[in-house]
Amino acid sequence: MNKWWNEAVIYQIYPRSFQDSNGDGEGDLKGITSRLDYVKALGVDAIWLSPFYKTPNKDGGYDVADPRDVDPRFGTLEDARKLFEKAHSIGLRVVVDIVPNHFSSEHKWFKEALKSPKGSEARNRFHFYDGKDANTPPNNWISLFGGPAWTQIADGQWYLHLFDSSQPDLNWDNPEVAEDFEETIRFWIDLGADGFRIDVAHGLAKEDIHVDHYDPQGLSDALRLDVLMEVEKRNSYLAKIPFFDRDGVHEIYRKWRKIFDSYGDREIMAVAEVWVHPPKRATLYVRPDELHQFFNFDVMNAPFDSEYLYKSISDMLNLVKEQSAWPTWCLSNHDSERVASRIGSQAARAMALFVLGLPGSAYIYNGQELGLPSGEMSDSDRQDPIFFRTNGKQKGRDGARVPMPWSGETSPFGFTNGKPWLPLQNDWKEFTVEHELADLNSSLNLYKRALELRKEYFLGSGELTWTRTNGLLSYKRGKVEVLINISDQEIPISGKVILASQTIADVLPPATAIWLLS
Ligand code: GLC
Ligand code: CA
């Protein structure tokens, strides 16, 4: 049976960077609402909003101080309700983020835990432990943002934080934690949300607190954003991290699935962020009684290499089928280098055509449709905790979070009337929505056309036949053949081209893709 999410195109909005409505330099919910017609006109089916909940904003809102309230910088609960209402009125569904691995240290529970004694109920909502000795944390786990994953408090105990020290991990063995999240899930569905993107979905169960990691330094290197591209290295570490992907996590999602299903034909869906290896482990999260989708990061970080992509994509297609699920594809998000910078703007256009033809659902990160590169900035502008926790050794993720350029000749390009929280590049004039709408060959118009034709030719069947798998990578779906040239040779083509990533004649140049009607 076809569900709305099986082949949906979902547009990720990073609220702080989309549209400012009140001149404070930060995007907000009213700003998003005012731009929903633009989003709808792209041809997408749904939006996913990164967190807009109450937050001290130490980690771009992924440090939640109250999961059932809106942070004043983003607006009010009423603004959220109006956003959902407007989205629904123009036929867009809304997926919201949920961050169950940790709270902010500003959450009332953590403040209470700090004031309460060792062993108290209040401490038991988090992971507080005594150290191996007075100065040594309970284990050698590292924070994914650099440095140790433990911080010591005044009475000598340590608390666990897989991310920043302002993001204490929650203890999912405590039923109070589970109940609180169930309340949050219902709260947002009742307000109008159609689904959830589950942050760090693979991290919740901490079953091996007393198991050290065998190589924390190697792990810390493998997790550096700039080496994520070295897929082999990353994957070999991911497979062995004692704080990820414990079996107990699935129990949580089986319970959540019952809640989602209890809303019947609202068809609530959940997509998981899972960093695990091998990919077969990720498909366990989409067993029929668990979640609906997981992000396939293997393709997002893949080298522009035909052998690698063929194997990665065809393995994924086969693996999800075993669970009767559908795959997802993404090329960028708020945590990664933008695809146009990572593989080059021409290859990014080609990859967009290549993945938008595949069966499954596609995620587009705001600005990706413009072919926007990662923003550059001086260190004094940076805000990502990764930059600070690594003492500047890693630049962090701010480059992917620079606000959207909408219109005009110079920064801030219609994003705000004030000073943008991160600087937009002064030479982004040709990347504005206004400019690209008027240019037939723009990346924006390529995406719009692709989404139109996708509806016309591709949706419905999950079947695909590979036609060439070396240098030229191609597959057929129904009447259409999708080809991408990942070699350094020009390749002759024949047939009726219905869409091309660049203007082409009768050969397909390197790093281009086409859709052919046969
Ligand atoms: C996820 C989010 C990322 C955040 C982290 C901690 O990976 O995508 O932005 O920093 O979780 O919540
Ligand atoms: Ca604002």
Side-chain angles (χ1 to χ4, degrees):
M1 226 192 2
N2 246 20
K3 295 292 189 188
W4 73 265
W5 59 80
N6 289 355
E7 297 194 79
V9 178
I10 302 180
Y11 185 77
Q12 179 190 357
I13 294 179
Y14 194 72
R16 205 177 174 196
S17 300
F18 202 57
Q19 176 68 59
D20 179 22
S21 75
N22 62 353
D24 66 358
E26 299 189 68
D28 45 55
L29 297 182
K30 278 196 178 130
I32 295 171
T33 308
S34 74
R35 293 291 188 185
L36 285 179
D37 290 322
Y38 163 78
V39 177
K40 175 68 185 175
L42 282 174
V44 305
D45 305 291
I47 54 172
W48 148 33
L49 299 168
S50 280
F52 49 86
Y53 316 118
K54 219 171 180 91
T55 177
N57 203 28
K58 294 270 162 43
D59 181 25
Y62 282 93
D63 48 324
V64 178
D66 181 350
R68 298 187 286 275
D69 202 359
V70 172
D71 197 84
R73 66 158 45 78
F74 295 119
T76 62
L77 271 173
E78 185 52 18
D79 293 336
R81 209 189 44 73
K82 285 196 184 132
L83 190 166
F84 296 171
E85 201 174 80
K86 162 82 184 179
H88 292 155
S89 76
I90 57 174
L92 288 174
R93 308 217 189 212
V94 184
V95 174
V96 298
D97 232 290
I98 187 164
V99 190
N101 183 68
H102 43 266
F103 272 157
S104 156
S105 52
E106 296 289 307
H107 188 284
K108 62 176 193 264
W109 277 3
F110 194 72
K111 292 187 185 161
E112 192 187 333
L114 290 183
K115 281 190 248 143
S116 305
K118 273 188 192 182
S120 58
E121 275 302 302
R123 289 233 176 143
N124 191 36
R125 293 170 180 143
F126 299 91
H127 292 282
F128 279 93
Y129 286 90
D130 291 331
K132 283 183 178 161
D133 59 45
N135 301 312
T136 319
N139 63 38
N140 70 353
W141 297 358
I142 56 149
S143 152
L144 282 98
F145 287 172
W150 296 91
T151 290
Q152 195 166 30
I153 63 167
D155 69 7
Q157 276 212 306
W158 302 74
Y159 68 90
L160 176 68
H161 52 89
L162 295 187
F163 296 90
D164 192 57
S165 56
S166 66
Q167 293 164 294
D169 279 47
L170 285 157
N171 174 11
W172 274 88
D173 290 331
N174 184 335
E176 243 193 292
V177 170
E179 278 158 28
D180 192 71
F181 273 87
E182 287 168 17
E183 193 178 330
T184 298
I185 287 171
R186 291 183 200 280
F187 179 88
W188 288 105
I189 300 176
D190 292 341
L191 206 84
D194 302 289
F196 296 90
R197 177 268 189 188
I198 304 168
D199 191 62
V200 199
H202 53 298
L204 279 49
K206 311 287 187 320
E207 289 164 10
D208 302 300
I209 284 280
H210 295 291
V211 178
D212 275 341
H213 192 271
Y214 71 104
D215 179 9
Q217 189 51 49
L219 172 63
S220 135
D221 290 344
L223 291 174
R224 276 173 39 198
L225 289 186
D226 49 336
V227 296
L228 272 180
M229 282 268 292
E230 294 173 39
V231 274
E232 304 288 326
K233 185 169 169 187
R234 183 193 71 225
N235 287 343
S236 77
Y237 277 97
L238 271 183
K240 291 178 249 171
I241 301 179
F243 48 78
F244 275 177
D245 198 28
R246 304 294 97 181
D247 291 332
V249 82
H250 296 286
E251 202 50 47
I252 300 168
Y253 301 130
R254 278 193 278 271
K255 287 202 188 122
W256 286 14
R257 178 60 179 260
K258 292 203 179 101
I259 303 179
F260 303 145
D261 286 350
S262 75
Y263 286 83
D265 53 15
R266 293 261 319 258
E267 293 194 1
I268 305 300
M269 85 99 175
V271 52
E273 180 197 30
V274 283
W275 288 95
V276 299
H277 193 76
K280 197 175 170 64
R281 291 289 305 179
T283 67
L284 298 180
Y285 291 76
V286 293
R287 283 178 285 196
D289 61 345
E290 293 193 34
L291 305 171
H292 306 90
Q293 297 185 334
F294 63 89
F295 288 112
N296 170 11
F297 293 128
D298 205 40
V299 168
M300 184 177 84
N301 291 304
F304 193 56
D305 173 278
S306 68
E307 214 177 308
Y308 188 94
L309 283 167
Y310 167 64
K311 188 170 170 353
S312 173
I313 294 170
S314 55
D315 283 357
M316 184 56 68
L317 289 169
N318 293 331
L319 281 170
V320 291
K321 230 180 247 164
E322 289 172 19
Q323 305 295 355
S324 309
W326 289 67
T328 68
W329 315 99
C330 56
L331 298 174
S332 286
N333 67 21
H334 64 292
D335 292 328
S336 65
E337 192 179 4
R338 282 189 176 274
V339 62
S341 298
R342 193 172 73 77
I343 59 176
S345 56
Q346 181 165 329
R349 290 170 71 121
M351 276 303 284
L353 285 203
F354 197 68
V355 300
L356 287 172
L358 290 169
S361 126
Y363 285 77
I364 297 173
Y365 175 51
N366 59 203
Q368 180 190 327
E369 75 278 20
L370 305 173
L372 204 64
S374 295
E376 282 160 24
M377 65 196 75
S378 58
D379 285 353
S380 59
D381 285 321
R382 295 192 189 279
Q383 314 231 1
D384 188 346
I386 293 185
F387 175 74
F388 297 103
R389 284 188 66 89
T390 61
N391 297 320
K393 268 193 251 146
Q394 290 188 52
K395 296 295 177 193
R397 302 161 295 179
D398 294 311
R401 300 174 179 179
V402 171
M404 282 279 283
W406 292 97
S407 56
E409 305 288 307
T410 49
S411 173
F413 294 113
F415 164 69
T416 178
N417 293 327
K419 182 175 182 288
W421 71 281
L422 286 176
L424 289 86
Q425 319 291 260
N426 266 317
D427 59 1
W428 274 3
K429 187 180 134 198
E430 297 196 345
F431 289 108
T432 66
V433 169
E434 179 183 53
H435 182 94
E436 293 206 16
L437 279 175
D439 171 5
L440 279 184
N441 293 320
S442 67
S443 174
L444 176 56
N445 279 318
L446 179 72
Y447 270 81
K448 287 178 93 164
R449 188 80 186 118
L451 294 188
E452 258 173 56
L453 293 175
R454 171 183 164 94
K455 287 211 176 79
E456 190 172 336
Y457 290 109
F458 293 109
L459 304 189
S461 143
E463 293 314 310
L464 156 165
T465 315
W466 291 99
T467 43
R468 285 178 61 174
T469 59
N470 203 348
L472 184 79
L473 208 54
S474 61
Y475 59 84
K476 269 195 91 156
R477 277 186 85 195
K479 281 191 285 185
V480 180
E481 188 170 15
V482 175
L483 301 89
I484 188 168
N485 183 355
I486 311 189
S487 73
D488 49 14
Q489 314 286 318
E490 293 192 327
I491 296 176
I493 46 164
S494 60
K496 181 173 181 311
V497 177
I498 54 170
L499 191 60
S501 63
Q502 313 281 327
T503 319
I504 54 161
D506 49 357
V507 291
L508 193 60
T512 56
I514 48 171
W515 291 0
L516 277 182
L517 203 58
S518 53

